[in-house]
Amino acid sequence: MSDSKENIVLAMPARINGKLVPVTGEPVSVSSTIAEQLREAGAIKQQEQKQRSLSDLKVDELKTIAAAKGIEGADGMKKADLVKAIEELEASE
């Protein structure tokens, strides 16, 4: 059975899969199981601040994310293509 992914925003540094992840204010993709454990520990930011989905971001923000993830040709992509490329990359991680 595969564990689905969730994007969470950390409220405090947390050790995820053996790696210490700092608080950045940016969403972090984790398995649902890990997300639930972090929720129970109080390590996830309250949902009062609506977590933005990729489609809510501006093109420049998407290009920055794509470049950070190593997606080639991001500078020339349209918004829908950027969203699709980032989502596909995150799904394969």
Side-chain angles (χ1 to χ4, degrees):
M1 175 163 111
S2 75
D3 202 3
S4 62
K5 294 277 188 178
E6 285 187 43
N7 288 327
I8 54 132
V9 178
L10 294 174
M12 65 180 77
R15 190 164 299 278
I16 301 173
N17 296 328
K19 181 181 174 190
L20 184 61
V21 180
V23 174
T24 63
E26 296 296 319
V28 177
S29 181
V30 297
S31 70
S32 296
T33 302
I34 291 174
E36 184 58 32
Q37 292 169 349
L38 291 169
R39 244 182 234 101
E40 289 173 7
I44 295 179
K45 224 176 211 183
Q46 294 298 319
Q47 295 301 327
E48 296 159 0
Q49 299 175 344
K50 182 182 171 241
Q51 185 176 333
R52 301 188 317 173
S53 69
L54 289 174
S55 59
D56 293 331
L57 299 177
K58 295 178 181 178
V59 174
D60 288 343
E61 294 171 308
L62 290 167
K63 287 181 180 181
T64 300
I65 293 169
K69 292 184 173 285
I71 297 172
E72 294 182 22
D75 281 340
M77 290 183 180
K78 294 182 179 183
K79 183 175 182 172
D81 296 329
L82 287 162
V83 170
K84 182 178 177 184
I86 294 167
E87 286 176 343
E88 287 175 355
L89 181 65
E90 289 178 345
S92 71
E93 293 177 340

